[in-house]
Amino acid sequence: MKQGDKLAVRIWKGGADGGYTEFEAPLRANQTVLDVVTWIQRNRDPGLAYRFACRVGMCGSCAMTVNGKPRWTCRTHVSKVTQDSRLTIGPLRNLPIVKDLVCDMTVFFDKWQNARGRFQGRATRYDDIERIAPDTPARKAADAGIECINCAVCYAACDVVAWKPDYLGPAALNRAWTLQNDIRDTAQAERLAAVAGDAGCHSCHSQQGCTAHCPKSLNPTAAIAGLKRSVFQAVLRGEV
Amino acid sequence: MSPAQLYVAQRLSAAVLAPLVLIHLGLIVYAIQDGLSAAEILSRTRGNLTWAVFYSIFVIAAAIHGAIGLRAIVSESLAWSRAWLNTAMYGAAVFLSALGMRAVAAVVL
């Protein structure tokens, strides 16, 4: 790479019926895909819509499709995803496009609720903080999936979501599994029933697209397998 | 049946099918290697209760497993309602059972 080298960038413009527009951006030694999108928005196309917040891989808001794969753009270096100085950047798959690179995340978060992906405790503010042993199998299983940042990369990578739009998806089911392993939670039976339906964990084919693309290196496929085992046992006990 | 019960039925039928398929494949290899004619095979299977039970279980397990699998494929490919999916699944299970039991009857009766 030398001074003055350029990147050829194609960026999705418009809604679902939009198309790719070509831009040229400077190729730098150390730049992320989000840096490139920001440079284009500030220097070539002020109307370009995209979403970001923290820029350090914590908030989960900047995920896009980069050269065909869903990625968190703030932590994806250009040198990692292109060898020929070409980038194609689009909105995430499986979500409605609002404009350009911005997707409507409503259905994604609705599914978290449908999977009862919210903590329901029994303690009040007057109780002491519960002591959780970190080395129990349940806590280890919860910790394995707890670092999800809700970026929807796994949801965009999932073929089952593409085929079956009702499917709750890997992120919501991973969240449900972490709560099933939280000994403080009191809604385990209701949550198991919520993930045992047609749109729930049994729809997963274990293709592991979610696991392959998760920027936090989580394993939603393993979480879903755990839910399948739990539902299996609950059915044999006559509880589901 | 609920989706969770269907999942359990499909896994349990798979567990039943796994050894039966291996025995079935072994039997085919044995019959071919040994050069048995169709008449010789039928002479061994006709009136044999063991093979009748073996292949009846095989057919029922395959019908359950296959019908639930077809339901999953259709649910991902076509926007059918749950009622239609279940109707088609039960229909497939009955159809596969009838075909299979007809074949079992042909070799053991």
Side-chain angles (χ1 to χ4, degrees):
Chain A
M1 197 196 82
K2 60 183 187 299
Q3 188 74 22
D5 279 354
K6 299 289 184 188
L7 267 173
V9 187
R10 297 169 71 234
I11 292 187
W12 185 269
K13 293 282 293 176
D17 56 352
Y20 284 100
T21 300
E22 299 209 10
F23 298 94
E24 208 174 61
L27 177 64
R28 293 182 174 138
N30 195 4
Q31 64 187 154
T32 66
V33 174
L34 185 63
D35 291 336
V36 173
V37 175
T38 299
W39 188 91
I40 289 171
Q41 197 258 1
R42 291 184 181 172
N43 296 282
R44 293 290 180 270
D45 186 354
L48 177 64
Y50 68 109
R51 196 185 269 139
F52 74 97
C54 74
R55 299 179 297 168
V56 290
M58 290 173 68
C59 72
S61 58
C62 69
M64 302 171 198
T65 305
V66 182
N67 285 357
K69 292 184 178 175
R71 294 178 181 279
W72 54 353
T73 56
C74 71
R75 300 287 301 272
T76 300
H77 282 253
V78 169
S79 57
K80 183 184 169 188
V81 291
T82 179
Q83 309 304 320
D84 59 0
S85 302
R86 291 178 181 278
L87 281 179
T88 299
I89 306 170
L92 285 179
R93 191 172 72 133
N94 295 338
L95 290 163
I97 302 170
V98 176
K99 180 177 181 285
D100 304 342
L101 302 172
V102 177
C103 291
D104 183 353
M105 305 282 281
T106 306
V107 67
F108 175 74
F109 289 112
D110 281 349
K111 287 180 177 179
W112 277 58
Q113 294 301 317
N114 296 342
R116 287 196 72 105
R118 58 188 180 278
F119 175 74
Q120 188 167 322
R122 66 180 97 78
T124 69
R125 68 177 67 182
Y126 305 108
D127 295 312
D128 285 340
I129 294 172
E130 195 156 359
R131 298 175 74 85
I132 308 294
D135 54 353
T136 61
R139 191 60 232 172
K140 285 179 180 172
D143 285 344
I146 208 75
E147 296 290 343
C148 174
I149 57 171
N150 321 340
C151 63
V153 162
C154 60
Y155 190 83
C158 179
D159 283 340
V160 180
V161 174
W163 300 326
K164 192 171 178 174
D166 288 345
Y167 174 49
L168 292 171
L173 293 170
N174 178 72
R175 174 64 178 159
W177 179 240
T178 63
L179 291 169
Q180 288 303 96
N181 285 286
D182 190 330
I183 59 169
R184 300 165 301 165
D185 188 276
T186 57
Q188 313 234 326
E190 294 90 331
R191 189 173 300 107
L192 211 53
V195 302
D198 257 334
C201 58
H202 303 121
S203 295
C204 173
H205 288 234
S206 307
Q207 281 178 237
Q208 305 189 57
C210 52
T211 302
H213 291 91
C214 176
K216 299 289 289 184
S217 301
L218 305 184
N219 189 346
T221 311
I224 296 168
L227 288 173
K228 288 178 178 176
R229 285 195 300 277
S230 295
V231 172
F232 191 103
Q233 290 157 5
V235 168
L236 295 183
R237 290 193 300 265
E239 295 170 358
V240 172
Chain B
M1 291 176 81
S2 71
Q5 289 169 330
L6 291 177
Y7 175 78
V8 170
Q10 197 182 29
R11 288 301 180 276
L12 292 179
S13 59
V16 171
L17 275 174
L20 300 191
V21 167
L22 291 176
I23 293 169
H24 177 62
L25 290 175
L27 192 68
I28 292 171
V29 171
Y30 169 78
I32 298 298
Q33 295 271 326
D34 230 28
L36 289 177
S37 67
E40 287 169 328
I41 291 172
L42 285 173
S43 71
R44 287 162 168 76
T45 58
R46 289 224 157 113
N48 188 316
L49 186 64
T50 303
W51 288 123
V53 171
F54 177 89
Y55 277 111
S56 295
I57 294 171
F58 196 125
V59 164
I60 300 301
I64 292 170
H65 192 78
I68 298 171
L70 286 172
R71 182 188 186 276
I73 292 168
V74 173
S75 78
E76 287 170 4
S77 312
L78 305 168
W80 284 15
S81 69
R82 192 174 163 191
W84 271 112
L85 283 174
N86 287 344
T87 303
M89 177 191 69
Y90 287 121
V94 170
F95 182 64
L96 290 171
S97 298
L99 284 182
M101 293 311 290
R102 184 167 163 260
V104 173
V107 294
V108 298
L109 292 181

